[in-house]
Amino acid sequence: GCGYCTGGGQLKIDAPTNTVLGGNIPVQVSSGDEDKTYLLTVTNPSGQYSTYTVNESKTINISVDESGIWTLNADLLGYQPAQMQVSVSTPLTKYLIIILLAVAVVAVIFFFKKRH
């Protein structure tokens, strides 16, 4: 038979489109029908994937440990699948700390060169 017939309708993924590395992606899958359980496949930027079962009334939090585009796919027999992408970026604070450390090192080097 047809695994993705439209008889049941279209699945929907509710998740943010952007998040930061080290955080979570809160994901909820729905179809408009109560008490359904969906398969959610999450693929990271390296191509590795994990599959979760998600109840419509539950939000699942996916931990992100790699920056780039994460792809979310929701499936349920008899429904059109849903897909969305989440962009995971490195937090700005990490870059700010690196810049501040670099400035501090340059200042220390300049100070010691000036003394000698």
Side-chain angles (χ1 to χ4, degrees):
C2 174
Y4 298 116
C5 294
T6 60
Q10 173 74 44
L11 297 181
K12 178 185 174 198
I13 299 174
D14 185 21
T17 56
N18 296 294
T19 193
V20 293
L21 186 64
N24 290 315
I25 304 171
V27 181
Q28 190 167 23
V29 181
S30 63
S31 65
D33 295 332
E34 293 183 26
D35 299 325
K36 296 288 183 184
T37 301
Y38 310 94
L39 286 180
L40 176 69
T41 303
V42 180
T43 307
N44 70 14
S46 297
Q48 297 171 329
Y49 66 91
S50 298
T51 302
Y52 305 88
T53 55
V54 182
N55 185 303
E56 182 163 358
S57 62
K58 181 182 174 192
T59 298
I60 185 170
N61 287 304
I62 308 298
S63 297
V64 290
D65 57 0
E66 185 177 347
S67 60
I69 302 297
W70 288 63
T71 304
L72 312 174
N73 291 292
D75 288 302
L76 178 63
L77 186 65
Y79 290 77
Q80 283 189 323
Q83 182 182 73
M84 77 171 293
Q85 294 184 326
V86 178
S87 176
V88 176
S89 59
T90 304
L92 183 59
T93 54
K94 181 179 178 182
Y95 290 118
L96 185 58
I97 290 170
I98 291 170
I99 290 169
L100 290 174
L101 286 174
V103 168
V105 168
V106 169
V108 168
I109 292 170
F110 180 74
F111 176 76
F112 280 112
K113 280 188 174 184
K114 193 151 183 128
R115 290 187 62 161
H116 291 101

